[in-house]
Amino acid sequence: MNKVFLIGNLTKDPELSETQSGISVCRFSIAVNRRRTGEGEQQTDFFNVTAWRGTGENVARFCKKGNKVAVTGSVQIRTYETNDGTKRTAVDVVAEEVEFLSPKPDNEAKTQKKPTLEAFDDDSDIPF
């Protein structure tokens, strides 16, 4: 079974693009802190994440650098060759689910109207 669950912060704004066939794909990276062992310095791992279709569109729409997310998905290892002929290996996470863990910014929360008691003071429309 190939399953990974990571919680971390976006290291830069997500990048949304489309394949030649028109499928949305979002690429972003997250910084994940390792569990501390003893008195040592906090260590961080960086993961490249790919989210497809609606999941990727939502990440691109609602996330930005610094936001905390939980990613559930699978690990893919790929090899490639650089221009100078050097072989490289890359580890990518393909997201199945991305949960947004950062609270909404204050300006978004203020723009949403909340009902007030004054809206309920007029009871003339009540049939009883």
Side-chain angles (χ1 to χ4, degrees), residues 24-75:
S24 300
V25 59
C26 180
R27 291 184 173 85
F28 59 99
S29 61
I30 60 173
V32 178
N33 291 330
R34 290 187 192 172
R35 197 173 275 189
R36 284 187 191 252
T37 57
E39 298 290 323
E41 273 187 45
Q42 178 70 56
Q43 293 186 344
T44 304
D45 293 308
F46 297 88
F47 294 91
N48 294 320
V49 182
T50 303
W52 293 91
R53 297 179 175 81
T55 302
E57 291 169 5
N58 285 334
V59 170
R61 182 175 176 196
F62 296 111
C63 292
K64 62 181 182 178
K65 179 181 178 177
N67 285 153
K68 183 171 281 212
V69 295
V71 177
T72 305
S74 59
V75 175

Side-chain angles (χ1 to χ4, degrees), residues 99-119:
E99 185 174 342
F100 309 142
L101 301 178
S102 291
K104 287 184 180 180
D106 284 341
N107 59 355
E108 281 185 35
K110 290 178 184 175
T111 59
Q112 295 178 352
K113 296 197 175 211
K114 296 179 181 175
T116 62
L117 290 177
E118 295 150 5

